[in-house]
Amino acid sequence: MRVAIAGAGLAGLSCAKYLTDAGHTPIVLESRDVLGGLVAAWKDSDGDWYETGLHAFFGAYPNMLQLLKELGIEDRLQWKDHTLIFNQPDKPGTLSRFDVPDIPSPFNIIASILRNNDMLTWEQKIRFAIGLLPAVVRGQKYVEEMDKYSFLEWLERQGVDERVTSDVFIAACKALTFINPDEVSATILLTALNRFLQERYGSKIAFLDGSPTERLCQPIVDYITERGGEVRLNSPLKQILLNPDGTVQGFLLRGLNGAEDQVLTADMYVSAMSVDVLKVMLPEPWQQMEYFQKLEGLEGVPVINLHLWFDRKLTEIDHLLFSRSPLLSVYADMSNACREYANPDRSMLELVLAPAKDWITKSDEEIVTATIAELEKLFPDHFGGENPTKLLKSHVVKTPRSVYKATPGRQQYRPVQETPISNFFLSGSYTMQRYLGSMEGAVLSGKLTAQAISDASPVANSSDLQTPTRPPATNAATA
C-alpha cells in the first residue's frame, strides 16, 4: 500500500520505517526544511550545532534501542556511567550522586538510594520505598489509576514529606515533563520509576555522538528511501481533503515560492504532526466525532532549550546533570558529552529552561541573562574574581508547544492510533502507548501505527513489528 505521512519527526519517520519493513510504500511529508520535529537541529554560521532539546537516551528505551540496532547505528550512542547526578543549590559547586551498581534490578536502584545520604534521610528512604510498593507489585494497572493525582498529591498520600519533593522530584519532573510535581500526573513519574526499577540498565543514560538530525533521523530516511519510500521536506500540509463518505481523499500540499498547491493521494494517511497542529487541521465533519473531540483535552507544553559557549571549561563532567534550580531542569556540557561537539578547552552548555510558560514570550537576551545568573550559583568559582568566565555566543530555541502537557486526567484523552476514519491514522508520543511524551514514546507510537495500518491491509506482513518489553542488555551496558 501507498501511505502518506504528514510529519518527519521521530513518530512519522519510525512509522515509515516499519511500514517499509511490512512491504508498504510510505511518503513522508515535512513542512519545514529540517528533519526531526522535536529533535530537529541546525548548524550556525560557525558550523556549530544547536538543537530543539537536550536529548538523553535511557536504557529503558527498548524500542529506540531496537530501532538503532535495526539501522546498524547503535554504536552512535555514547553511554555514560550508570549514575544520576544532582546539583546542590544550598552547597554551590557540590554534586550529589546516585551511583547504580552493576547488579540485578531492582536491587541496583535500591542500593543507589540507600548509599546516598546527601538528599534523603533514612526515614524518607523508607517512606518512599513503602510508597512505591503498590506500583511495583500491582504494576501498570495501578500506575494508570494514579492519573487522577498529581505526583505531589501521590507523594503526600504515601506520607513522603516536602523535602523529598523539593530535593529529588522537582528536578526529575522538570527533566521528564517540563512541569513541576504539583502539576504532573503521578502516572508519568511512576511509569518512569517502574522502568528504572524493573530493568537493570533502565536508568543508564547515553548521548548521541552528534546532532539528532544528522546521526539519527537521516539514517532512518536513508533506510526508507533505499526501500522505495520517500521523504519530502518543504511540503506543508494545507488541508485534509475528504470523500463524500468522510474518508480521506488526499492531502492538499501548499505550494511554496509561487508554486501551485498539489494534491497527494494514497491508500492510507497518517498524521504524525503534533496534537496542537492536528487540532487546527481537522476537517470540520470530523470535529463532531467524540474520538477527535477528546483531543481538546491535550495541549503541548512550552519548552526552551539554550546553548551557551564559554571561553573556558566550566566542568569536566561527562554526563547529564539535574540542576535543582528554580529555573533550569537539566543540563550537560556537550563539549564533554558529545563526540562531535568535543572541545578540550571550552565548554558548550546545553540547558533546558523549565517550566517555561512565563519565559516563552521573553526575549532571548532576557532568557540568557537569567540563565547566566543561575549558572553563577552552580559554578561560583568561574564567574567572579578578576578574570571571570566569558560567554562567547548563545542560541535560544523556543518550542511554544512541545510534548503534551501531562497533567492529571490526561490519560483519558490520549487517542489510540486507529481513528474512526478507515484510512486515517495518528502517530505521535501523545497517542496512547506505555511511555510518556518522549523519544521512546514517539518511536513506539510510530511502530504501533505501522502495525495498525498493516493489520488493516489484506496483504499485511507485520511479523517484524512486535514491541520489545525490555532493552538488549548488551546495548545499555556498554559505556
Side-chain angles (χ1 to χ4, degrees):
M1 288 193 303
R2 180 176 160 96
V3 184
I5 303 171
L10 284 179
L13 292 176
S14 298
C15 178
K17 186 271 180 193
Y18 287 107
L19 284 171
T20 63
D21 288 344
H24 305 299
T25 303
I27 303 95
V28 183
L29 308 165
E30 171 55 45
S31 63
R32 301 189 295 179
D33 61 356
V34 61
L35 298 167
L38 294 180
V39 301
W42 304 266
K43 266 188 178 181
D44 66 14
S45 58
D46 298 322
D48 293 320
W49 286 98
Y50 58 101
E51 306 176 11
T52 309
L54 178 52
H55 301 108
F57 297 73
F58 286 89
Y61 280 5
N63 295 281
M64 173 65 80
L65 295 181
Q66 178 175 308
L67 174 62
L68 294 175
K69 184 176 182 180
E70 291 170 358
L71 295 171
I73 58 171
E74 64 267 40
D75 60 343
R76 295 185 181 183
L77 288 184
Q78 297 178 263
W79 291 97
K80 309 306 178 184
D81 292 338
H82 198 173
T83 186
L84 300 176
I85 307 175
F86 292 77
N87 281 109
Q88 297 194 56
D90 52 336
K91 300 177 183 178
T94 303
L95 301 175
S96 180
R97 300 172 64 101
F98 287 84
D99 294 317
V100 183
D102 193 12
I103 59 177
S105 61
F107 306 107
N108 56 350
I109 296 296
I110 294 171
S112 73
I113 294 173
L114 293 179
R115 294 192 303 192
N116 182 293
N117 296 313
D118 299 328
M119 299 172 68
L120 301 176
T121 67
W122 276 99
E123 180 185 1
Q124 291 164 342
K125 293 173 184 177
I126 293 171
R127 283 184 177 274
F128 182 59
I130 293 173
L132 272 180
L133 277 177
V136 175
V137 174
R138 294 171 58 186
Q140 193 63 23
K141 184 177 185 297
Y142 169 84
V143 170
E144 294 290 339
E145 291 171 353
M146 294 302 102
D147 186 51
K148 58 189 173 185
Y149 302 113
S150 72
F151 190 63
L152 179 59
E153 290 171 334
W154 181 86
L155 286 170
E156 291 172 345
R157 287 172 62 86
Q158 314 313 313
V160 179
D161 67 25
E162 179 68 21
R163 188 186 166 201
V164 177
T165 305
S166 60
D167 278 7
V168 179
F169 291 112
I170 286 181
C173 287
K174 292 200 298 181
L176 292 173
T177 66
F178 312 116
I179 53 180
N180 283 316
D182 62 337
E183 292 184 277
V184 69
S185 164
T187 292
I188 302 302
L189 268 293
L190 291 175
T191 297
L193 288 169
N194 251 355
R195 300 277 71 77
F196 290 172
L197 286 167
Q198 293 176 15
E199 298 172 6
R200 184 167 184 166
Y201 302 105
S203 58
K204 195 167 186 179
I205 294 171
F207 287 100
L208 268 179
D209 61 359
S211 79
T213 296
E214 197 172 65
R215 302 296 287 170
L216 173 59
C217 296
Q218 188 59 50
I220 306 177
V221 171
D222 295 341
Y223 186 99
I224 294 165
T225 55
E226 287 168 1
R227 289 159 179 78
E230 296 180 53
V231 179
R232 304 179 188 176
L233 300 178
N234 297 309
S235 299
L237 178 61
K238 181 177 181 179
Q239 185 181 351
I240 300 173
L241 304 176
L242 301 186
N243 291 308
D245 63 358
T247 59
V248 180
Q249 182 187 78
F251 280 171
L252 179 63
L253 306 181
R254 186 185 307 277
L256 301 179
N257 301 319
E260 294 184 358
D261 296 346
Q262 293 185 340
V263 176
L264 177 72
T265 59
D267 301 297
M268 298 287 184
Y269 300 84
V270 176
S271 168
M273 303 177 290
S274 71
V275 67
D276 297 281
V277 175
L278 173 62
K279 287 188 290 186
V280 174
M281 298 296 302
L282 282 177
E284 186 174 350
W286 294 1
Q287 296 174 20
Q288 313 309 315
M289 298 180 180
E290 181 182 2
Y291 174 93
F292 292 110
Q293 286 179 341
K294 283 188 174 182
L295 297 178
E296 293 300 323
L298 299 173
E299 65 175 352
V301 63
V303 175
I304 297 175
N305 200 56
L306 296 96
H307 302 73
L308 305 176
W309 284 261
F310 295 95
D311 66 345
R312 68 198 66 178
K313 279 288 186 185
L314 294 180
T315 176
E316 298 293 339
I317 295 174
D318 176 11
H319 216 291
L320 183 74
L321 292 100
F322 297 84
S323 75
R324 293 174 61 210
S325 85
L327 184 64
L328 308 175
S329 60
V330 290
Y331 69 94
D333 189 333
M334 298 301 281
S335 69
N336 302 327
C338 177
R339 188 174 296 122
E340 186 169 343
Y341 305 165
N343 190 322
D345 303 315
R346 296 177 176 177
S347 282
M348 189 278 270
L349 294 191
E350 188 170 349
L351 314 97
V352 178
L353 189 155
K357 61 182 179 181
D358 295 330
W359 290 89
I360 198 73
T361 59
K362 294 186 182 294
S363 69
D364 290 359
E365 183 179 0
E366 290 176 290
I367 293 170
V368 171
T369 299
T371 302
I372 293 295
E374 291 296 318
L375 293 179
E376 289 174 354
K377 301 173 187 176
L378 299 179
F379 301 100
D381 296 338
H382 290 273
F383 290 95
E386 297 180 357
N387 185 28
T389 296
K390 292 182 176 61
L391 178 66
L392 299 177
K393 69 174 179 178
S394 64
H395 286 294
V396 177
V397 181
K398 298 178 181 179
T399 307
R401 292 287 184 268
S402 182
V403 295
Y404 79 96
K405 191 174 184 179
T407 50
R410 294 311 97 188
Q411 292 291 93
Q412 64 181 310
Y413 298 108
R414 299 177 69 183
V416 295
Q417 290 75 29
E418 188 173 0
T419 80
I421 310 303
S422 61
N423 65 345
F424 185 73
F425 299 78
L426 300 184
S427 194
S429 63
Y430 70 91
T431 62
M432 184 56 74
Q433 38 83 21
R434 61 186 290 189
Y435 293 88
L436 64 155
S438 61
M439 293 187 292
E440 171 69 8
V443 170
L444 176 54
S445 74
K447 180 180 288 189
L448 292 174
T449 305
Q451 179 77 62
I453 292 171
S454 291
D455 288 345
S457 169
V459 293
N461 178 19
S462 57
S463 60
D464 294 330
L465 301 183
Q466 300 305 308
T467 301
T469 57
R470 57 191 306 114
T474 53
N475 278 359
T478 305

